PDB file of all heavy atoms in Angstrom:
ATOM      1  N   ALA F 149       4.610 -32.572 -17.044  1.00 97.00           N
ATOM      2  CA  ALA F 149       3.500 -32.079 -16.213  1.00 97.00           C
ATOM      3  C   ALA F 149       3.546 -32.660 -14.806  1.00 97.00           C
ATOM      4  O   ALA F 149       3.335 -31.934 -13.821  1.00 97.00           O
ATOM      5  CB  ALA F 149       2.162 -32.403 -16.890  1.00 97.00           C
ATOM      6  N   ALA F 150       3.849 -33.925 -14.688  1.00 97.00           N
ATOM      7  CA  ALA F 150       3.842 -34.547 -13.353  1.00 97.00           C
ATOM      8  C   ALA F 150       4.922 -33.932 -12.468  1.00 97.00           C
ATOM      9  O   ALA F 150       4.698 -33.663 -11.281  1.00 97.00           O
ATOM     10  CB  ALA F 150       4.043 -36.060 -13.473  1.00 97.00           C
ATOM     11  N   THR F 151       6.102 -33.703 -13.057  1.00 97.00           N
ATOM     12  CA  THR F 151       7.191 -33.096 -12.274  1.00 97.00           C
ATOM     13  C   THR F 151       6.824 -31.681 -11.872  1.00 97.00           C
ATOM     14  O   THR F 151       7.047 -31.264 -10.725  1.00 97.00           O
ATOM     15  CB  THR F 151       8.498 -33.102 -13.092  1.00 97.00           C
ATOM     16  OG1 THR F 151       8.743 -34.425 -13.559  1.00 97.00           O
ATOM     17  CG2 THR F 151       9.668 -32.618 -12.249  1.00 97.00           C
ATOM     18  N   ASN F 152       6.268 -30.915 -12.815  1.00 98.00           N
ATOM     19  CA  ASN F 152       5.852 -29.556 -12.479  1.00 98.00           C
ATOM     20  C   ASN F 152       4.802 -29.559 -11.368  1.00 98.00           C
ATOM     21  O   ASN F 152       4.870 -28.747 -10.447  1.00 98.00           O
ATOM     22  CB  ASN F 152       5.294 -28.854 -13.729  1.00 98.00           C
ATOM     23  CG  ASN F 152       6.390 -28.163 -14.526  1.00 98.00           C
ATOM     24  OD1 ASN F 152       7.145 -27.363 -13.978  1.00 98.00           O
ATOM     25  ND2 ASN F 152       6.468 -28.474 -15.818  1.00 98.00           N
ATOM     26  N   GLU F 153       3.872 -30.480 -11.452  1.00 97.00           N
ATOM     27  CA  GLU F 153       2.823 -30.534 -10.426  1.00 97.00           C
ATOM     28  C   GLU F 153       3.427 -30.873  -9.069  1.00 97.00           C
ATOM     29  O   GLU F 153       3.045 -30.303  -8.046  1.00 97.00           O
ATOM     30  CB  GLU F 153       1.762 -31.566 -10.843  1.00 97.00           C
ATOM     31  CG  GLU F 153       0.372 -31.297 -10.283  1.00 97.00           C
ATOM     32  CD  GLU F 153       0.280 -31.624  -8.806  1.00 97.00           C
ATOM     33  OE1 GLU F 153       1.054 -32.476  -8.344  1.00 97.00           O
ATOM     34  OE2 GLU F 153      -0.560 -31.030  -8.111  1.00 97.00           O
ATOM     35  N   LYS F 154       4.401 -31.781  -9.083  1.00 97.00           N
ATOM     36  CA  LYS F 154       5.047 -32.166  -7.821  1.00 97.00           C
ATOM     37  C   LYS F 154       5.856 -31.011  -7.243  1.00 97.00           C
ATOM     38  O   LYS F 154       5.842 -30.752  -6.038  1.00 97.00           O
ATOM     39  CB  LYS F 154       5.947 -33.384  -8.076  1.00 97.00           C
ATOM     40  CG  LYS F 154       6.477 -34.010  -6.795  1.00 97.00           C
ATOM     41  CD  LYS F 154       7.354 -35.217  -7.083  1.00 97.00           C
ATOM     42  CE  LYS F 154       8.191 -35.569  -5.845  1.00 97.00           C
ATOM     43  NZ  LYS F 154       9.495 -36.126  -6.210  1.00 97.00           N
ATOM     44  N   LEU F 155       6.576 -30.300  -8.127  1.00 97.00           N
ATOM     45  CA  LEU F 155       7.435 -29.210  -7.649  1.00 97.00           C
ATOM     46  C   LEU F 155       6.627 -28.014  -7.164  1.00 97.00           C
ATOM     47  O   LEU F 155       7.005 -27.359  -6.190  1.00 97.00           O
ATOM     48  CB  LEU F 155       8.378 -28.735  -8.764  1.00 97.00           C
ATOM     49  CG  LEU F 155       9.560 -29.628  -9.098  1.00 97.00           C
ATOM     50  CD1 LEU F 155      10.284 -29.088 -10.326  1.00 97.00           C
ATOM     51  CD2 LEU F 155      10.538 -29.704  -7.916  1.00 97.00           C
ATOM     52  N   PHE F 156       5.537 -27.693  -7.841  1.00 98.00           N
ATOM     53  CA  PHE F 156       4.894 -26.396  -7.603  1.00 98.00           C
ATOM     54  C   PHE F 156       3.482 -26.489  -7.018  1.00 98.00           C
ATOM     55  O   PHE F 156       2.867 -25.468  -6.719  1.00 98.00           O
ATOM     56  CB  PHE F 156       4.886 -25.584  -8.908  1.00 98.00           C
ATOM     57  CG  PHE F 156       6.273 -25.350  -9.445  1.00 98.00           C
ATOM     58  CD1 PHE F 156       6.683 -25.887 -10.661  1.00 98.00           C
ATOM     59  CD2 PHE F 156       7.186 -24.610  -8.700  1.00 98.00           C
ATOM     60  CE1 PHE F 156       7.967 -25.685 -11.138  1.00 98.00           C
ATOM     61  CE2 PHE F 156       8.480 -24.400  -9.170  1.00 98.00           C
ATOM     62  CZ  PHE F 156       8.875 -24.940 -10.396  1.00 98.00           C
ATOM     63  N   GLY F 157       2.965 -27.702  -6.878  1.00 97.00           N
ATOM     64  CA  GLY F 157       1.688 -27.893  -6.191  1.00 97.00           C
ATOM     65  C   GLY F 157       0.584 -27.020  -6.764  1.00 97.00           C
ATOM     66  O   GLY F 157       0.425 -26.925  -7.993  1.00 97.00           O
ATOM     67  N   LYS F 158      -0.169 -26.353  -5.886  1.00 97.00           N
ATOM     68  CA  LYS F 158      -1.308 -25.569  -6.356  1.00 97.00           C
ATOM     69  C   LYS F 158      -0.872 -24.349  -7.159  1.00 97.00           C
ATOM     70  O   LYS F 158      -1.674 -23.781  -7.909  1.00 97.00           O
ATOM     71  CB  LYS F 158      -2.224 -25.178  -5.191  1.00 97.00           C
ATOM     72  CG  LYS F 158      -1.581 -24.307  -4.143  1.00 97.00           C
ATOM     73  CD  LYS F 158      -2.545 -24.062  -2.964  1.00 97.00           C
ATOM     74  CE  LYS F 158      -1.856 -23.201  -1.904  1.00 97.00           C
ATOM     75  NZ  LYS F 158      -2.703 -22.889  -0.762  1.00 97.00           N
ATOM     76  N   CYS F 159       0.408 -23.941  -7.031  1.00 98.00           N
ATOM     77  CA  CYS F 159       0.920 -22.826  -7.840  1.00 98.00           C
ATOM     78  C   CYS F 159       1.089 -23.226  -9.310  1.00 98.00           C
ATOM     79  O   CYS F 159       1.363 -22.376 -10.155  1.00 98.00           O
ATOM     80  CB  CYS F 159       2.262 -22.328  -7.304  1.00 98.00           C
ATOM     81  SG  CYS F 159       2.151 -21.716  -5.619  1.00 98.00           S
ATOM     82  N   ASN F 160       0.944 -24.511  -9.595  1.00 98.00           N
ATOM     83  CA  ASN F 160       1.085 -25.020 -10.966  1.00 98.00           C
ATOM     84  C   ASN F 160      -0.257 -25.052 -11.712  1.00 98.00           C
ATOM     85  O   ASN F 160      -0.301 -25.405 -12.899  1.00 98.00           O
ATOM     86  CB  ASN F 160       1.712 -26.427 -10.918  1.00 98.00           C
ATOM     87  CG  ASN F 160       2.031 -26.999 -12.295  1.00 98.00           C
ATOM     88  OD1 ASN F 160       1.548 -28.071 -12.662  1.00 98.00           O
ATOM     89  ND2 ASN F 160       2.815 -26.276 -13.073  1.00 98.00           N
ATOM     90  N   ASN F 161      -1.335 -24.686 -11.058  1.00 98.00           N
ATOM     91  CA  ASN F 161      -2.677 -24.676 -11.683  1.00 98.00           C
ATOM     92  C   ASN F 161      -2.614 -24.161 -13.131  1.00 98.00           C
ATOM     93  O   ASN F 161      -2.251 -23.010 -13.363  1.00 98.00           O
ATOM     94  CB  ASN F 161      -3.607 -23.785 -10.836  1.00 98.00           C
ATOM     95  CG  ASN F 161      -5.016 -23.670 -11.430  1.00 98.00           C
ATOM     96  OD1 ASN F 161      -5.322 -24.269 -12.466  1.00 98.00           O
ATOM     97  ND2 ASN F 161      -5.869 -22.906 -10.777  1.00 98.00           N
TER      98      ASN F 161
END
Side-chain angles (χ1 to χ4, degrees):
Chain F
T151 307
N152 272 306
E153 207 286 334
K154 190 180 163 212
L155 285 173
F156 301 115
K158 62 185 179 179
C159 299
N160 186 238
N161 178 1

